[in-house]
Amino acid sequence: YLFMVDPDSGELVSQSHHRELTLSMNRGIAGHVISGKRSIRHAEPYKDDRFSDELDRKTGTHTRNIVCVPVQDASDSRVIGVIQVLNKRAESFTQQDEDLLTAFAKEVSLAIPKLVQIETQIRSLEDTVESQRQRHSHQEEEKRRVELLLELSASLGANSNELAGLCSLADRLGPELLHCEQALLFLLDEDRLELWTITADGETRFTL
């Protein structure tokens, strides 16, 4: 496991097999590696008072042996994470294993700034693409609104003497123009002091 220090939460965080794992930074073998800036290797970790079974409980494994090394910032030697390896099959971890893992941790510390830079660039590119997509979508929406307004204008001229046609036109084009569920055109009946409209269900009137 590669656990990185999360300064905001004060936890160690690992992305493993599409799953996020977190550990306390103040306890367990990993916590002691961070505070002491030194590797820890143990053949029987459950007999070590520094050991915490937090990871075992979260993953369902049982740690038989362990080696944990610090990952230090290449520029100022701050511990920014740990690499923790569990359960060597044939035997316990050796000094050679620890040395190999320490060398790997140094390579990881050199790679992390590059990975962060690449991730930042990817996020910036994604933001740019999303911004362009939204702008294009807005332009297409405005184009469609203009087309609907032109259609409405032309239809008004053609149906100016047909009240039922005008009501139907408002009901058909209004929702698309205004992004609503329904649009109704009410006309004033001055003699009866009523508002009236024509829908698919027939004529509807409301008293003023």
Side-chain angles (χ1 to χ4, degrees), residues 67 88 91-102:
V67 58
K88 188 169 183 177
E91 55 187 12
S92 297
F93 291 104
T94 64
Q95 183 63 52
Q96 184 179 5
D97 295 327
E98 183 178 326
D99 292 343
L100 180 62
L101 198 59
T102 298

Side-chain angles (χ1 to χ4, degrees), residues 72-156:
Q72 295 178 275
D73 189 284
S75 62
D76 58 14
S77 297
R78 287 181 302 109
V79 179
I80 57 177
V82 298
I83 298 176
Q84 185 166 276
V85 182
L86 312 176
N87 298 343
K88 188 169 183 177
R89 292 191 182 92
E91 55 187 12
S92 297
F93 291 104
T94 64
Q95 183 63 52
Q96 184 179 5
D97 295 327
E98 183 178 326
D99 292 343
L100 180 62
L101 198 59
T102 298
F104 177 66
K106 290 181 180 178
E107 295 300 321
V108 170
S109 69
L110 293 173
I112 286 176
K114 297 178 183 178
L115 292 174
V116 171
Q117 182 181 13
I118 291 172
E119 184 177 357
T120 301
Q121 292 173 343
I122 291 175
R123 287 180 178 176
S124 177
L125 180 60
E126 289 175 344
D127 290 342
T128 300
V129 171
E130 177 62 18
S131 177
Q132 291 177 344
R133 186 194 67 78
Q134 291 180 356
R135 185 162 55 247
H136 177 72
S137 176
H138 179 70
Q139 290 173 344
E140 288 296 314
E141 182 178 343
E142 287 301 310
K143 178 182 177 182
R144 178 56 181 158
R145 287 170 66 90
V146 170
E147 291 174 348
L148 288 171
L149 287 171
L150 291 174
E151 181 181 350
L152 178 60
S153 177
S155 299
L156 285 173

Side-chain angles (χ1 to χ4, degrees), residues 154-188:
S155 299
L156 285 173
N159 298 280
S160 58
N161 295 322
E162 300 177 11
L163 296 179
L166 291 177
C167 293
S168 175
L169 189 65
D171 184 46
R172 182 170 63 86
L173 297 183
E176 192 168 355
L177 273 170
L178 303 175
H179 304 293
C180 59
E181 292 183 0
Q182 189 177 28
L184 298 175
L185 171 63
F186 284 94
L187 300 174
L188 175 63

